[in-house]
Amino acid sequence: MPVDVIMPQMGESIFEGTITKWLKKPGEHVERDEPLFEISTDKVDAEIPAPSGGILKEIKVGEGQTVPIQTVVGVIDADGQSTAAVSSKAEAPAPAEARMDIDRAMPPALTDLQSPKPPAPPTRANGDKIRSSPLVRRLAREHGVDLRQVQGSGAGGRVSKKDILAAIAGGGLERSVAAPPEAEGPAVTPAATPPPVGVSGGQVRVVLENAVPRERMYFGRYEVQPMSVMRQRIAEHMLASKRVSPHVYSLDEVDMTRIVELRQNTKSEFEKRHELKLTFMPFFIRACIEGIRGFPVMNSSVDGTNVILHREINIGVAVALDWGLIVPVIKNAEEKNFLGLQRAVTDLAERARTKKLKPEEVQEGTFSITNPGIFGGLMGLPVISQPNVAILGLGMIQKRPVVINDAIAIRSMVYLTLSYDHRVVDGAIAHQFMRKVKGALENWNESII
């Protein structure tokens, strides 16, 4: 008996997904609930389990294709009988469309945010209602785009985030980019200049613009590596954040000696008692919570001319993956004790790396922390994760000579960098916030056992 495999809905505001990888080939046996394929949505990447055991009979949607939810993407023969006839789509999937969903440009935290009293959805000249999300309508208002002039590419003519972003970037026109010319000669080596965004063979629609003419990119010996779906979304998010928020940066240095010694003296007992590795991240999260309590504007978002001060402190912690970056969110972090913060950090990071996160676990962040220091970075200037107004970057903790009471001492020091949105956060507030964070770290007095 054939069983349809459908594109699942991974959240209320998610209407489509991109298949990034099939984990089984047609003709192979699959167990019920065994991971069958991987998808990338506006909110999260995830492995999708098989709805039934049997033989994967047919793949209807190839890797790289984006389809609406509830679309049949494959068929499983639940009777276990392999069929020789396999769709040619499985062997030659259509090229991926370089989508520009603005939820990645204004990411998981509060992408569906709208004004307290949103206006009614617009209608076309014939009286038909223009189908779109609150986010699309808000973007249209902010950028002066008439939705009646935007041709929707979604189901039933729905104006998607991709459509509105294309209208904003190019006056409603989508630019086609042909596949790059083939390199001459034998095996090629990567060029220093990256290839055009979204090229995957054939023609694809893009709205990310090249900084230099394409003909100046292809020279000498090179190879073209198409961006993954996640990489495209990260690019879109970063580009949009730099366009939306006037970034300003503040830097401070913190003496972490007390915390380093505390961790060194207690980590064995902590790990034995709680079966958790003791990291530095909960210390920084707790310090940021104290800073936000002193300066609530650091925990806000901007909606047009309104500043939204969030009562909950939801801390997004960037997790580096082999295939990109994701920011799971610790909800109501201010209500958790030290152990609760460490447990949340460990759990979210592990499930991020195994693609087990739920969409709601990467949404509604109000402040973000990124830690390049674990890779040896002395400091960095991170890009704000929209719609947050600030993000804290953690440098590497290392011993350095410092002057204390006119004497040179060796202390464990770290650089902290704060990127903030100058539309709502001024330098005075940013530096006072950093002083609050610094004080909480240098004068740590909370029990961690």
Side-chain angles (χ1 to χ4, degrees), residues 321-341:
L321 309 172
D322 291 340
W323 56 94
L325 179 74
I326 196 166
V327 186
V329 178
I330 301 174
K331 303 290 181 65
N332 298 107
E334 77 281 7
E335 298 178 357
K336 299 182 184 296
N337 61 14
F338 186 90
L339 174 60
L341 291 175

Side-chain angles (χ1 to χ4, degrees), residues 102-111 138 236-247 300-302 362 364-366 368 383-391 420-421 423:
I102 198 66
D103 275 358
R104 284 293 176 178
M106 295 189 149
L110 291 173
T111 49
R138 179 168 66 83
E236 295 158 4
H237 174 196
M238 296 297 101
L239 180 61
S241 184
K242 294 293 284 189
R243 285 178 173 174
V244 168
S245 296
H247 282 56
S300 67
S301 300
V302 181
V362 293
E364 299 180 355
T366 59
S368 301
V383 178
I384 298 168
S385 180
Q386 298 293 328
N388 297 172
V389 299
I391 180 172
Y420 54 98
D421 189 332
R423 292 179 298 173

Side-chain angles (χ1 to χ4, degrees), residues 7 16-22 37-40 59-68 71-73 87-99 200 229 233:
M7 175 64 70
E16 62 185 9
T18 301
I19 294 182
T20 56
K21 184 179 181 180
W22 280 95
F37 60 97
E38 297 178 356
I39 66 171
S40 179
I59 292 177
K60 292 180 174 289
V61 178
E63 295 178 358
Q65 289 186 270
T66 301
V67 294
T71 298
V72 177
V73 299
S87 171
S88 60
K89 294 180 181 179
E91 299 178 0
E97 180 180 358
R99 305 186 304 121
S200 58
V229 173
R233 305 256 174 98

Side-chain angles (χ1 to χ4, degrees), residues 126-159:
N126 60 6
D128 291 343
K129 178 181 176 181
I130 298 178
R131 301 178 60 191
S132 61
S133 70
L135 173 67
V136 168
R137 295 193 291 274
R138 179 168 66 83
L139 288 172
R141 293 196 306 272
E142 292 178 354
H143 294 273
V145 176
D146 186 353
L147 283 178
R148 292 172 297 182
Q149 305 300 321
V150 180
Q151 184 64 41
S153 63
R158 180 185 182 88
V159 179

